[in-house]
Amino acid sequence: LADTNVGGWSSQWKAPIAESPLVRQSDGVAISARISGHPASLRLDGAEDGPLRLAPALADQLGLRFTPDIFGRLVSRGPELAVGPLSFPSVWVERTRSLPDGVDAAGGAPFFRETVVEVDSEERRVRFHDPAQWVNPEGFFRVLIDDDGNRPVVIGHRNGANIRLLGPTSAAAPILLTPEAARRLGLSGRAPVLHGLWIGPELPPTPVLIEDERQSDYGEDGRFSWNLILQSHADFDMVHRWLYLRPNGGKWQSVEGLTRLAPSFASLPSPGPRVR
């Protein structure tokens, strides 16, 4: 690739705030975007640290020439990614068949790296703020986060043991842990419940899924899902390494609430016409 960062710090702002409806899709969320003028349902995920991934139908519509990179991905550069007044004029994209049904694209790094990402689950909106003009909110918990390859990683602790959780991601449980991290936290069994995890506030008892052994380029201990974020108002300010959280209604939901995420999201409208 010609540079090491998706978008190359290229965000342009015609207004300090851009927003989109928030649409629940299986275990993830999607927003409305435009890719070189084409309406697209874009899956927003903190684990997406590479090129913007495009479904074949949209990739074909754009008429791009894709070539293999050293990782075997079919990549190209040039499309504009836009959400309202926010745009990235020339991003790297990857043609892939691995996207879930119902979405045209998937991305994360350009948004989390170059904007403050606000998730307003009560109003069912995602807003992107120009970091130069954004002011941190009052009355929120402040959570320390790190930037691992343009991905937000929350740093939590329990009984003196620290863990690093990547997210929000499209995960099968509220928290997924590596076996080593589970051992460090004193957890056993395939799907235990984690008590007393502090990430700034203390989370309620939270279901955990222990994953098979896997390697990470950045050494995180696991992932946290959209299930946790969508029961709160959240502002991801990766520029200054803080996440601001305020639970909806002033308190976190129970374990049952975390495993049965807000059914009202299932009735949200689709993000607009999709490329076919």
Side-chain angles (χ1 to χ4, degrees):
L1 300 180
D3 54 29
T4 58
N5 291 325
V6 179
W9 287 89
S10 62
S11 58
Q12 297 181 358
W13 300 85
K14 295 179 181 177
I17 301 174
E19 70 172 42
S20 166
L22 172 65
V23 179
R24 185 67 170 158
Q25 294 221 339
S26 182
D27 55 359
V29 302
I31 60 173
S32 298
R34 297 185 71 84
I35 301 174
S36 292
H38 294 267
S41 170
L42 188 150
R43 192 173 179 91
L44 182 64
D45 196 294
E48 293 282 352
D49 62 344
L52 185 71
R53 296 194 298 136
L54 305 180
L58 177 55
D60 292 343
Q61 286 280 337
L62 297 178
L64 300 171
R65 179 176 177 269
F66 289 87
T67 57
D69 69 1
I70 60 172
F71 302 108
R73 303 175 299 191
L74 293 175
V75 299
S76 183
R77 188 171 193 176
E80 178 190 60
L81 168 62
V83 177
L86 165 65
S87 64
F88 303 87
S90 181
V91 298
W92 282 99
V93 293
E94 174 190 356
R95 192 181 195 275
T96 180
R97 296 186 178 276
S98 64
L99 295 181
D101 292 339
V103 295
D104 304 301
F111 297 108
F112 285 103
R113 185 186 67 245
E114 301 190 37
T115 81
V116 175
V117 180
E118 177 190 359
V119 181
D120 187 342
S121 59
E122 289 188 314
E123 293 192 9
R124 304 174 183 179
R125 312 291 292 178
V126 172
R127 301 182 186 94
F128 304 106
H129 298 263
D130 181 350
Q133 301 189 51
W134 182 75
V135 178
N136 58 284
E138 296 182 356
F140 281 58
F141 290 103
R142 193 165 70 162
V143 180
L144 182 64
I145 60 174
D146 204 352
D147 172 7
D148 285 354
N150 299 320
R151 309 176 311 163
V153 174
V154 166
I155 301 172
H157 62 277
R158 176 179 184 264
N159 295 337
N162 292 332
I163 58 170
R164 297 164 54 83
L165 299 175
L166 169 67
T169 65
S170 306
I175 292 179
L176 280 70
L177 290 177
T178 63
E180 191 281 327
R183 287 192 293 269
R184 195 187 323 143
L185 295 177
L187 301 178
S188 60
R190 175 64 175 167
V193 174
L194 176 60
H195 296 259
L197 178 64
W198 292 81
I199 61 171
E202 181 182 4
L203 294 181
T206 304
V208 171
L209 182 62
I210 299 177
E211 302 181 285
D212 296 332
E213 294 285 355
R214 65 183 182 88
Q215 297 295 319
S216 167
D217 292 337
Y218 302 98
E220 71 267 7
D221 299 303
R223 292 172 282 163
F224 67 94
S225 74
W226 278 103
N227 296 35
L228 286 171
I229 295 302
L230 290 179
Q231 61 157 311
S232 68
H233 195 132
D235 295 89
F236 289 85
D237 179 14
M238 239 169 57
V239 174
H240 299 101
R241 303 296 189 267
W242 291 110
L243 163 61
Y244 296 86
L245 276 181
R246 185 180 66 196
N248 293 337
K251 62 180 181 179
W252 299 103
Q253 294 180 19
S254 64
V255 171
E256 290 76 15
L258 289 173
T259 54
R260 298 195 310 268
L261 173 67
S264 60
F265 276 89
S267 62
L268 286 174
S270 68
R274 296 183 60 244
V275 175
R276 298 187 183 279

